[in-house]
Coordinates of all heavy atoms in Angstrom, one line a residue:
A13 N 23.6 128.6 -137.1 CA 24.7 127.7 -136.9 C 26.0 128.1 -137.6 O 26.9 127.3 -137.6 CB 24.3 126.3 -137.5
R14 N 26.0 129.2 -138.2 CA 27.1 129.7 -139.0 C 27.9 130.7 -138.3 O 27.4 131.6 -137.7 CB 26.6 130.3 -140.3 CG 27.7 130.4 -141.4 CD 27.1 131.1 -142.6 NE 25.8 130.6 -143.0 CZ 25.0 131.2 -143.9 NH1 25.4 132.3 -144.4 NH2 23.9 130.6 -144.3
A15 N 29.2 130.5 -138.2 CA 30.1 131.4 -137.5 C 30.5 132.6 -138.4 O 30.6 132.5 -139.6 CB 31.4 130.7 -137.1
G16 N 30.6 133.8 -137.7 CA 31.1 135.0 -138.4 C 30.2 135.6 -139.4 O 30.6 136.1 -140.4
A17 N 28.8 135.5 -139.3 CA 27.9 136.0 -140.2 C 28.0 137.5 -140.3 O 28.1 138.2 -139.2 CB 26.5 135.6 -139.9
T18 N 28.0 138.1 -141.5 CA 27.9 139.5 -141.6 C 26.5 139.9 -142.2 O 26.2 139.4 -143.3 CB 29.0 140.0 -142.6 OG1 30.3 139.8 -142.0 CG2 28.8 141.5 -142.9
I19 N 25.8 140.6 -141.5 CA 24.4 141.0 -141.9 C 24.5 142.3 -142.8 O 25.2 143.2 -142.4 CB 23.5 141.2 -140.7 CG1 23.3 139.9 -139.9 CG2 22.1 141.8 -141.2 CD1 22.7 138.8 -140.7
K20 N 23.8 142.3 -143.9 CA 23.7 143.4 -144.8 C 22.4 144.1 -144.5 O 21.3 143.5 -144.9 CB 23.9 143.1 -146.2 CG 25.3 142.7 -146.6 CD 25.5 141.9 -147.9 CE 25.3 140.5 -147.7 NZ 25.5 139.6 -148.9
M21 N 22.4 145.3 -143.9 CA 21.1 145.9 -143.5 C 20.8 147.1 -144.4 O 21.5 148.1 -144.4 CB 21.3 146.4 -142.0 CG 20.1 147.1 -141.5 SD 18.8 146.0 -141.0 CE 19.5 145.3 -139.5
M22 N 19.7 146.9 -145.1 CA 19.2 148.0 -146.0 C 18.4 149.0 -145.1 O 17.4 148.5 -144.4 CB 18.4 147.5 -147.1 CG 17.5 148.6 -147.8 SD 18.4 150.0 -148.5 CE 19.2 149.2 -149.9
I23 N 18.7 150.2 -145.0 CA 17.9 151.2 -144.3 C 17.4 152.2 -145.4 O 18.1 153.0 -146.0 CB 18.8 152.0 -143.3 CG1 19.4 151.1 -142.3 CG2 17.9 153.1 -142.7 CD1 20.3 151.7 -141.3
P24 N 16.1 152.0 -145.7 CA 15.5 152.8 -146.9 C 15.2 154.2 -146.6 O 14.1 154.7 -146.9 CB 14.2 152.0 -147.2 CG 13.8 151.4 -145.9 CD 15.1 151.2 -145.1
A25 N 16.1 154.9 -146.0 CA 16.0 156.3 -145.6 C 17.4 156.9 -145.5 O 18.3 156.2 -145.3 CB 15.2 156.5 -144.3
N26 N 17.5 158.2 -145.5 CA 18.7 158.9 -145.3 C 19.1 158.8 -143.8 O 18.3 158.6 -143.0 CB 18.6 160.4 -145.8 CG 18.6 160.5 -147.3 OD1 18.7 159.5 -148.0 ND2 18.3 161.7 -147.8
P27 N 20.4 159.1 -143.5 CA 20.8 159.0 -142.1 C 20.1 160.0 -141.3 O 19.7 161.1 -141.7 CB 22.3 159.4 -142.2 CG 22.7 158.9 -143.6 CD 21.5 159.3 -144.5
G28 N 19.9 159.7 -140.0 CA 19.4 160.6 -139.0 C 18.0 160.5 -138.7 O 17.5 161.2 -137.8
G29 N 17.2 159.6 -139.3 CA 15.8 159.5 -139.0 C 15.5 158.2 -138.2 O 16.4 157.6 -137.7
G30 N 14.2 157.9 -138.1 CA 13.7 156.8 -137.3 C 14.2 155.5 -137.8 O 14.6 154.6 -137.0
W31 N 14.1 155.2 -139.1 CA 14.5 153.9 -139.6 C 16.0 153.8 -139.4 O 16.5 152.7 -139.1 CB 14.2 153.8 -141.1 CG 12.9 153.3 -141.4 CD1 12.1 152.5 -140.6 CD2 12.1 153.5 -142.6 NE1 10.9 152.1 -141.2 CE2 10.9 152.7 -142.4 CE3 12.3 154.2 -143.8 CZ2 9.9 152.7 -143.4 CZ3 11.3 154.1 -144.8 CH2 10.1 153.4 -144.6
D32 N 16.8 154.9 -139.6 CA 18.2 154.8 -139.5 C 18.6 154.5 -138.0 O 19.4 153.6 -137.8 CB 18.8 156.2 -139.9 CG 20.4 156.1 -139.9 OD1 20.9 155.3 -140.6 OD2 21.0 156.9 -139.2
G33 N 18.0 155.2 -137.1 CA 18.2 155.0 -135.7 C 17.9 153.6 -135.2 O 18.6 152.9 -134.5
T34 N 16.7 153.1 -135.7 CA 16.2 151.8 -135.3 C 17.1 150.7 -135.9 O 17.5 149.8 -135.3 CB 14.8 151.6 -135.8 OG1 14.0 152.6 -135.3 CG2 14.2 150.2 -135.2
G35 N 17.5 150.9 -137.2 CA 18.3 149.9 -137.9 C 19.7 149.8 -137.3 O 20.2 148.7 -137.1
R36 N 20.3 150.9 -137.0 CA 21.6 150.8 -136.4 C 21.6 150.3 -135.0 O 22.5 149.6 -134.5 CB 22.3 152.2 -136.5 CG 22.6 152.5 -137.9 CD 23.2 153.9 -138.1 NE 23.3 154.2 -139.5 CZ 24.3 153.9 -140.3 NH1 25.4 153.3 -139.8 NH2 24.3 154.2 -141.6
A37 N 20.6 150.6 -134.2 CA 20.4 150.1 -132.9 C 20.2 148.6 -132.9 O 20.8 147.8 -132.1 CB 19.3 150.8 -132.1
F38 N 19.4 148.2 -133.9 CA 19.1 146.7 -134.0 C 20.4 146.0 -134.5 O 20.6 144.8 -134.1 CB 17.9 146.5 -134.9 CG 17.4 145.0 -134.8 CD1 16.9 144.6 -133.6 CD2 17.6 144.2 -135.9 CE1 16.4 143.3 -133.5 CE2 17.2 142.9 -135.8 CZ 16.6 142.4 -134.6
G39 N 21.1 146.6 -135.4 CA 22.4 146.0 -135.8 C 23.3 145.8 -134.7 O 23.9 144.7 -134.5
A40 N 23.4 146.8 -133.8 CA 24.3 146.6 -132.6 C 23.7 145.5 -131.7 O 24.5 144.8 -131.1 CB 24.3 148.0 -131.9
A41 N 22.4 145.4 -131.6 CA 21.8 144.3 -130.8 C 22.1 142.9 -131.4 O 22.3 142.0 -130.6 CB 20.3 144.5 -130.7
L42 N 22.1 142.8 -132.7 CA 22.5 141.5 -133.3 C 23.9 141.1 -132.9 O 24.2 139.9 -132.6 CB 22.4 141.6 -134.8 CG 21.0 141.7 -135.4 CD1 21.1 142.1 -136.9 CD2 20.2 140.4 -135.3
I43 N 24.8 142.1 -132.9 CA 26.2 141.8 -132.5 C 26.3 141.5 -131.0 O 26.9 140.5 -130.6 CB 27.1 143.0 -132.9 CG1 27.2 143.1 -134.4 CG2 28.5 142.8 -132.3 CD1 27.8 144.4 -134.9

């Protein structure tokens, strides 16, 4: 119910791996 929410996404891995790819794809899906 809150407008303009900013999600803080912790990705517990360095860039370029599975968690990173999944996390960023899911972040884009939230938007």
Side-chain angles (χ1 to χ4, degrees):
R14 197 185 310 167
T18 296
I19 297 298
K20 287 163 275 186
M21 181 76 73
M22 164 59 72
I23 300 176
N26 287 354
W31 271 337
D32 187 57
T34 308
R36 291 175 188 274
F38 193 66
L42 290 167
I43 295 171

